[in-house]
Amino acid sequence: MLVILITIVEMGVHTLDVINDQHYMRLALQLAEAANGQTDINPIVGCVVVKNGSIVGTGAHLRRGGPHAEVHALNMAGQDAEGSTVYVTLEPCSHHGKTPPCADRLIEEKVIRVVVATIDPNPEVAGAGVAKLREHGIEVVVGVMEREARALNLIFEKYMLTRIPYVTMKTACSLDGKIASRSGDSKWISNDASRQLVHAMRHQHQAIMVGIETVLADNPSLSTRLSVPSHQPIRIIVDSQLRTPNKAAVLTTDEVNRTIILTTELASAQRQLELLAKGVQIIRCGAGPHVDLQLAMQELGKLEISSVLLEGGGRLNGAMLEAGLIDHLILFYAPLFIGGRDAPGALTFNGIASISEAIQLEEMKLQQIDNNFCVSGYPSNRWKGANPCSLES
């Protein structure tokens, strides 16, 4: 009877530890998410320091090159860091980068326990931080709310492992799949609330990409217009013949606004010189008549662009999807029927011969936004290393 009672008590203590760990890790995840879009190619990370049942320090990684989340939280904790438990959403780094190793700082502060949501996919870390902590006698627990933590850093994970950007395709269309009328009018298909969400998405990606047809039809500025100050994403134009007009809004370049045009080896050298004079960066991708999109993504990766919000027309969207270069799809549907054989659709590509070959939308979610509804998910032909379906619960 005594053995049973002790076992029940031990099970209760273990359950309480799990509940506490999840509680504090959830707070760390919220701190990380608040900095989404601010860290460039770096991950978003949150940290909470707890001692004797009280939170004594919190922190988040706010910008590339700045202090990591653990440093902010430990600085806040001060002397209370010694003997504490630290909750961090991503494995503490163990190497010297732009900042000193966080694992070393945790050891110096004499923390006794570190709870980590997920291992860092960066090959320079990838378990080395956890190993160093354990070598110095610190208890380390790994995997608390791992799925949620990895979902926050799918962009970082893909870029670290492939060195090509994570691409989110966003489009707004009618119920019959049209993104404009037969005359090209598209303002506005989606409602104001949906458009505000799009500006938040722009803030959360390093770059926005459109095709030349979108530039010619809409003359977009491709800027982020939020009610609070935000950084401006890099503007990327897919323009195989360098047809971007001199007066296009996307050519207004300064220290805040930057524009890259992806073109081909066949494009005019003279036109390239004219665009370079306007401060535009030109990248030639492939010798054919169309931009080699796979090569283009590799070139953007070399520029340390880890995330792209694709807001293209039907042909660019379709080509990217068919090439398996889209990681996340977000479609806003308005309660409209536009019709028209010549009206552009959201996705145009060669298509498949049989339904069994169709690209599927996995992990699909539905959300109503006033009188619009949003369908989102992950295309089945994407790079699978960042597949949310494969994350362990």
Side-chain angles (χ1 to χ4, degrees), residues 209 238 285 291-298 316 319-320 323 325:
M209 187 167 80
V238 180
C285 304
V291 171
D292 182 330
L293 294 172
Q294 184 71 51
L295 177 58
M297 293 301 105
Q298 294 171 6
L316 178 57
M320 288 285 287
L325 295 172

Side-chain angles (χ1 to χ4, degrees), residues 165 206-212 215 222 233-240 242 244 250-253 257-263 275-276 278-285 291 296-297 299-308:
Q206 280 182 268
I208 305 173
M209 187 167 80
V210 300
I212 180 59
V215 172
L222 301 183
I234 300 166
R235 299 171 297 193
I236 300 171
I237 315 300
V238 180
D239 182 2
S240 59
L242 294 182
T244 302
V250 292
L251 296 190
T252 305
T253 58
N257 296 295
R258 175 182 167 198
T259 299
I260 297 170
I261 294 181
L262 304 174
T263 191
L275 289 166
L276 289 173
K278 289 183 167 292
V280 175
Q281 183 174 359
I282 306 293
I283 303 176
R284 294 182 181 262
C285 304
V291 171
M297 293 301 105
E299 293 298 321
L300 293 179
K302 291 177 184 177
L303 296 176
E304 295 192 334
I305 296 174
S306 63
S307 60
V308 172

Side-chain angles (χ1 to χ4, degrees), residues 35-263:
N36 195 0
Q38 296 186 184
T39 58
D40 205 73
I41 63 170
N42 283 8
I44 53 174
V45 183
C47 181
V48 175
V49 182
V50 178
K51 187 172 183 179
N52 298 326
S54 297
I55 296 172
V56 295
T58 60
H61 181 46
L62 301 177
R63 61 181 178 84
R64 185 183 182 188
H68 288 187
E70 298 96 317
V71 173
H72 284 301
L74 291 169
N75 286 345
M76 181 183 291
Q79 294 181 347
D80 285 332
E82 183 174 349
S84 67
T85 295
V86 175
Y87 295 85
V88 61
T89 58
L90 186 69
E91 176 185 12
C93 60
S94 56
H95 67 293
H96 283 270
K98 292 182 180 292
T99 58
C102 291
D104 289 357
R105 177 68 186 274
L106 291 164
I107 293 166
E108 291 168 8
E109 296 288 353
K110 299 180 180 178
V111 307
I112 61 172
R113 185 169 181 259
V114 177
V115 181
V116 176
T118 186
I119 295 296
D120 193 333
N122 184 349
E124 293 186 0
V125 185
V130 166
K132 178 178 279 192
L133 294 173
R134 286 174 173 161
E135 287 169 4
H136 285 80
I138 297 174
E139 179 189 352
V140 182
V141 177
V142 179
V144 175
M145 302 190 74
E146 180 180 13
R147 183 184 181 91
E148 292 84 348
R150 283 188 62 194
L152 280 183
N153 277 309
L154 293 179
I155 289 171
F156 175 70
E157 180 176 339
K158 182 183 179 183
Y159 185 73
M160 277 293 105
L161 297 177
T162 68
R163 293 293 168 176
I164 65 173
Y166 184 95
V167 178
T168 301
M169 192 205 94
K170 162 265 155 188
T171 193
C173 56
S174 61
L175 291 176
D176 54 342
K178 304 295 184 180
I179 59 173
S181 69
R182 63 186 183 187
S183 68
D185 180 34
S186 62
K187 293 182 174 56
W188 295 101
I189 290 178
S190 59
N191 61 31
D192 184 66
S194 294
R195 293 196 298 275
Q196 286 299 312
L197 282 177
V198 171
H199 284 291
M201 291 178 203
R202 289 181 176 183
H203 171 71
Q204 293 168 356
H205 290 76
Q206 280 182 268
I208 305 173
M209 187 167 80
V210 300
I212 180 59
E213 297 300 336
T214 297
V215 172
L216 295 175
D218 300 336
N219 191 27
S221 61
L222 301 183
S223 61
T224 299
R225 296 183 291 277
L226 295 175
S227 58
V228 296
S230 61
H231 77 274
Q232 292 299 331
I234 300 166
R235 299 171 297 193
I236 300 171
I237 315 300
V238 180
D239 182 2
S240 59
Q241 299 177 45
L242 294 182
R243 292 187 292 150
T244 302
N246 287 335
K247 294 185 178 180
V250 292
L251 296 190
T252 305
T253 58
D254 52 36
E255 65 277 3
V256 174
N257 296 295
R258 175 182 167 198
T259 299
I260 297 170
I261 294 181
L262 304 174
T263 191

